[in-house]
Amino acid sequence: MHEIFGENYIILKNAACFNLELTLDCGQAFRWTQQPDGSWSGVADGKYLNIQEKDGDFILTGTNKTDYEQFWRQYFDLERDYAGICETLKQDALLRQTIDDYYGIRILQQDSWEALCTFVISQNNNIKRIRGIIDRLCRNYGAKIREDYYTFPTPQQLKACTAADFYTLGAGYRAAYLESLVKDVAGGRIDLKKIRQLPLEEARNELLTLHGVGVKVADCALLFGFGFLEAFPLDVWMKRVMTHYPDGLPACFKGYEGIAQQYLFHWARNHLQK
DNA sequence: GTCCAGGCATGCA
DNA sequence: TGCATGCATGGA
């Protein structure tokens, strides 16, 4: 990959295995929206970004070189060899076809706190409604950084909220989980930064001490928000996929189970009957 | 009207 | 590595 830094834009040339729609709208992040011109706008780490693909290049606007180098490059996981990983994963027959069909899904390196909240909200819920609840959460408690764009609220910004406040946002019965989650993180009972340093099993066990966090929510948070690419979340769709792997996961998934999972999740939602 | 969604806590056996 | 049930909400 080659990076060109202009006055008000950044161009990425030869970025391999990177499809914007598949990556930004595949159920791992819920705050990116496609614009009428086909580009994608969103907020992460309190920063706005617009990104579009043009003739195989990726054009980033609304940001600067510093923010790109200190945040967005890692967020899009651009230094990882996804093309090479995909070649390994394609030793599995089902993934071989799936990766060919949906080539370019990457795992975003999202903020731990945002991922935890997001996947607590996601439980027994559908993607469209998840997006709505998160949008209202940000509009009500985040900081406005430009017209129509808000940051994801920090634990401190949510500290005064009660379950009733989250209920008002449409969170339903998950409102109580959110109140408890804010309390545990803002109050310091649980340290999200420390969890990043733990082995997968220990990290998961820490998250499981949170009210409203079970194995599936924990694994999604670990994969999308704590950098654990070996996490393999099993939701209702992935449980259907697992009938294709009666003997367990293939050896070629090793270390990148989460990337394999995201391809299979996408395949399941497009191909499997309920 | 019923069923379902990137499930979990709770109570019971 | 038990199982059944209730839970808020909105779209299909």
Side-chain angles (χ1 to χ4, degrees):
Chain A
M1 186 183 71
H2 180 52
E3 297 156 341
I4 299 170
F5 297 96
E7 190 74 16
N8 298 307
Y9 59 88
I10 298 163
I11 297 178
L12 310 181
K13 288 186 141 346
N14 305 315
C17 193
F18 189 17
N19 181 292
L20 287 176
E21 180 173 6
L22 291 173
T23 297
L24 300 177
D25 195 23
C26 68
Q28 61 173 319
F30 301 87
R31 301 202 59 207
W32 290 95
T33 50
Q34 192 162 28
Q35 305 304 308
D37 67 358
S39 68
W40 293 82
S41 292
V43 177
D45 195 45
K47 300 171 178 66
Y48 168 87
L49 177 73
N50 177 271
I51 182 168
Q52 64 173 307
E53 182 174 1
K54 198 172 181 187
D55 302 327
D57 297 337
F58 293 89
I59 304 169
L60 288 68
T61 57
T63 186
N64 57 60
K65 182 176 179 181
T66 302
D67 283 348
Y68 170 77
E69 291 183 329
Q70 293 186 355
F71 180 71
W72 294 112
R73 187 191 277 150
Q74 291 85 335
Y75 180 82
F76 291 110
D77 212 10
L78 291 170
E79 294 183 326
R80 196 184 304 277
D81 179 18
Y82 275 78
I85 293 168
C86 282
E87 283 311 304
T88 302
L89 294 176
K90 283 167 78 171
Q91 292 170 31
D92 175 66
L94 177 54
L95 265 186
R96 187 177 313 140
Q97 186 62 50
T98 305
I99 289 176
D100 282 344
D101 289 347
Y102 305 113
Y103 192 64
I105 298 179
R106 304 179 79 92
I107 303 295
L108 300 169
Q109 301 293 306
Q110 300 183 72
D111 175 70
S112 302
W113 166 247
E114 179 172 338
L116 249 186
C117 292
T118 293
F119 285 95
V120 163
I121 291 168
S122 79
Q123 64 181 264
N124 200 31
N125 212 339
N126 60 69
I127 288 177
K128 179 168 181 170
R129 209 164 77 86
I130 296 165
R131 289 181 67 100
I133 296 166
I134 293 171
D135 184 60
R136 291 188 288 278
L137 180 69
C138 296
R139 285 177 190 280
N140 280 276
Y141 301 105
K144 186 174 185 177
I145 52 173
R146 69 162 63 195
E147 191 58 39
D148 219 31
Y149 289 90
Y150 297 79
T151 63
F152 192 89
T154 64
Q156 290 303 318
Q157 286 173 308
L158 294 173
K159 217 163 93 176
C161 292
T162 65
D165 294 319
F166 297 126
Y167 203 95
T168 302
L169 300 177
Y173 69 91
R174 307 162 198 81
Y177 299 158
L178 291 173
E179 180 183 19
S180 171
L181 181 60
V182 169
K183 208 156 280 164
D184 282 344
V185 175
R189 187 188 74 73
I190 194 158
D191 184 346
L192 303 185
K193 278 202 178 69
K194 202 173 286 178
I195 291 176
R196 280 180 165 272
Q197 315 302 326
L198 298 174
L200 177 65
E201 294 296 324
E202 292 178 36
R204 180 191 289 123
N205 286 336
E206 277 296 306
L207 294 183
L208 289 177
T209 66
L210 294 161
H211 189 53
V213 175
V215 172
K216 190 273 169 181
V217 168
D219 284 347
C220 276
L222 290 170
L223 173 59
F224 302 126
F226 290 79
F228 287 88
L229 284 186
E230 68 271 38
F232 192 82
L234 281 176
D235 71 328
V236 292
W237 293 102
M238 288 306 297
K239 283 173 183 169
R240 292 165 194 152
V241 170
M242 288 310 287
T243 60
H244 292 261
Y245 299 99
D247 303 321
L249 299 184
C252 66
F253 286 17
K254 187 73 185 163
Y256 301 106
E257 288 87 346
I259 297 176
Q261 191 269 5
Q262 202 56 12
Y263 276 99
L264 293 171
F265 173 73
H266 196 75
W267 174 79
R269 281 170 45 89
N270 285 297
H271 292 269
L272 292 185
Q273 314 239 358
K274 288 176 184 170

